[in-house]
Amino acid sequence: MITKMKEISLCMFGPRLYKVHLDGPPTSLYLPRYTESWGDRVIYSLNLMWKISIFTCPFVSLYFYKRDYIVISSFVSLFKLMASVGFVMVASLCMRGYGRVTNPQYREFIRALTEPQNKTQLRRFDFDFTAWPVDFDCGKMARSDKPKFIEPNKRQRKRWNDIAMNIIGGVAVRSFGLKLIYPGSTSILYMFVEKVLLEGRIKLVEEYGGKRYKIKTRDNNEIDSMFVDRRGVTQNGKTLVVTSEGNAGFYEIGVMTTPIEAGYSVLGYNHPGFASSTGLPYPLEEQHAIDAIMQFAINELKFVPDNIVLFGWSIGCYSIAWAAVQYPDVKGIILDATFDDLLPLGLSRMPPSWRPMVTEVIRGYVDLNIADLLKDYSGPIKLIRRTMDEIICIDEGRMSTNRGNDLLIKILAHRYRNLFEADQYTLLRQYLSLQGPALSVFVSADHPGDMDKNKKVLFLAGKYLTDYKSTHCTPLPKEYLQIPRDLTLDEDFVFT
């Protein structure tokens, strides 16, 4: 039980409430009283003004200094302004608190929030995730197998121009580079999609019985995740699909939908820095995030690795590839609309004069080399290539420049070294540049070189790769979500 004064304090300073689940239709959100709504608007506006003033303060101070405005009278005026703003803030907090205290729904929410052990009651509410209690702390898990986190590339720099480029690259990645690679981590994008994300969460909770969890990583980031449990409900429910979104994707409106519609249990999450997840999507933080998700799935949700499928889309496949290496006993991985290495794509999108800086930023800070990671994974893989992909292609409209082709070639060449010579590389490049009837004609034709090797290479390419006629961001239909199998177990061919 909470005292009256504590309840009033929590109402004044407590988190925003967005939705009471299963209380009316899904479109009905929490309706604050007028006083709470008014107070919230003023507090939000003052906080926004404060954030803007922090960035503009140096420039404003310099402007005032040049015009000799910084005198005693100016400080008196500034003090009066700050006192007035403080009075408005206190009044707004009181108005908000009064509105919430007199609202039965918010008071019920506060009581549930102060009893974190009663998670069932708390899950009835959707509110600011910062106030959500931690459900699983990966850092407190005692583990015999230590994950191998990949640190940023620490190259030795002996020349002055190398050191200068390192400084330029560091400034670039911290100021705008990471935001260009992961636009989903920008607060501006989140402001535009916040309402859509809320609608997506409501659908996951109320239509599919989803449960929201806060998972703490070993590097102390808090990851917003959603679990939909279909065990005992559908035929595929005993298999868990762990999803990883693209560079502007969120689990609320992302790839979770495909495995849910296919009847699987699904665990999705937002990358560090995306929506309500804390941190930034640097590779090391991405690794910590997916590791915490996997530990949560195994230790808390009680799924064994060989009943877990890893499913990534676009840039999210980096996290999936790293997790596959650390958890080699998973059932398999599915990589949709992805690439082999981020660097060629980054160079193709930037002016040629930026090449040294782009190389420094990617290789030194955001080295997402999926093909290199997968050399250490020997389990089942399924690649899905979008034949109209405008993002993963170096030249839009030319399927031969799709970097998914390079990923497939690198995987097959590493796994089946005895099959690959110069003729087979050429053959596979030609095969991957075709589609439709031309592809069938190509497969049935005779090609120069070792016929036995040629047939096996084309057979493998057909098994590893599935084409989907679509653009990059089209939702994947559930029939394309095929769990990959180990070819040495299911096929007649045995490769040595």
Side-chain angles (χ1 to χ4, degrees), residues 377-430:
Y377 172 69
S378 59
I381 299 176
K382 169 65 71 173
L383 303 181
I384 300 172
R385 183 179 62 167
R386 310 295 184 101
T387 59
M388 301 166 64
D389 201 317
E390 73 283 15
I391 303 297
I392 303 300
C393 290
I394 299 296
D395 298 324
E396 186 175 346
R398 289 183 57 202
M399 198 165 68
S400 60
T401 66
N402 188 307
R403 295 304 299 189
N405 300 345
D406 299 86
L407 178 59
L408 175 65
I409 292 171
K410 290 176 181 178
I411 290 172
L412 295 183
H414 177 74
R415 290 189 169 194
Y416 310 101
R417 297 181 182 86
N418 294 339
L419 291 179
F420 276 83
E421 297 176 359
D423 289 341
Q424 281 68 48
Y425 280 105
T426 303
L427 176 73
L428 198 49
R429 287 279 181 195
Q430 293 173 340

Side-chain angles (χ1 to χ4, degrees), residues 250-261:
F250 305 88
Y251 75 73
E252 292 93 336
I253 53 175
V255 299
M256 279 189 73
T257 304
T258 299
I260 288 175
E261 291 179 348

